Amino acid sequence: MVRGFSPAAAAAVFRRQNFLIRCLGGYRKEKNYSNNFHHHCVIRMHSAMSGGPSLEADAVSILRSITPTLDPTRHKGQAGKVAVVGGCREYTGAPYFSAISALKLGADVSHVFCTKDAATVIKSYSPELIVHPILEESYSIRNEEKGSISAKVIEEVDKWMERFDCLVIGPGLGRDPFLLDCVSNIMKHARESNVPMVIDGDGLFLVANSPDLVRGYPLAVLTPNVNEYKRLVQKILNCEVNDEEGSKQLLALGKGIGGVTILRKGKSDFITDGEKVSAVSIYGSPRRCGGQGDILSGSVAVFLSWARQSANRGELGTNPTILGCIAASAILRKAASLAFDQKKRSTLTSDIIECLGRSLEEICPVIS
């Protein structure tokens, strides 16, 4: 009992304190995953990695600065038009997770360019997505058809390219050689059109083998997990990952690929454009179900688009690609935290997606 209070009054005090803690940053009942404890430990890790002060970004302020207001005078498309390039026979969930996450956060339109075998399945997941069954895998075509089919793929994508604010390359793409060749050509056309690209999953496998696809392109974002990051370091820097010099190595990798933005996923997310490193460690969840990277890729596409809109209005003084990555990382981590509070070990990617809207609303309320 709190000294000087009756049991009922003490309980009321504790309830009020817990409510305030939740409002201020994701209170967690599990003592091993207390947000404040986790945040303190990660800040110390950041200092050790950098040899200086914390790298932690002010993610909440960034979210508030780039998230647009809901204005009744705006028309469809102004809040973002995103396209996901991915999805094959084996992998239909990943492109869906990426595309639907973009819509759940507030993008107006979300497309998926996938193989014919994947299209019907992805369409069945949601009528909200615009699905283009234009990609082909090697098993379904003859060698003499490859040239004409590749040209048709590019022709179809080019019809839409100028409408998109951002492409997401790689979720559920697979590693079929002909499919990867077609996607390489799509990336080249996107670059010629100055369309931003978020590259994840098997798109990163493609980049690791053909880094010139993104080298020197400041509108490209790479979102590697631990194994994908290892491949990039080996390919670009010709060495192994060295976490004791984590920030320096991440900077070197960003410079080595020519100033693209890299969002290195992990217990904390580290982000660089080759000039500086920022970190996001707030919120988070101990549950590591597959598909969270797909949510992140769609989220980066949306926030990158919003940050570029703010930059075009002269409202930002920082690289909008970096700001978009920080915002997306923070909102996914918050959504994962909320989902874990509800579902614990049974948390799935779909549970996290359902928490995206609430997570953004708690930080950037529609009516403040």
Side-chain angles (χ1 to χ4, degrees), residues 57-72:
D58 186 356
V60 171
S61 294
I62 290 169
L63 275 162
R64 289 173 177 159
S65 70
I66 66 176
T67 300
T69 58
L70 289 181
D71 185 341

Side-chain angles (χ1 to χ4, degrees), residues 8 213 228 350:
L213 287 170
E228 293 158 348
S350 55

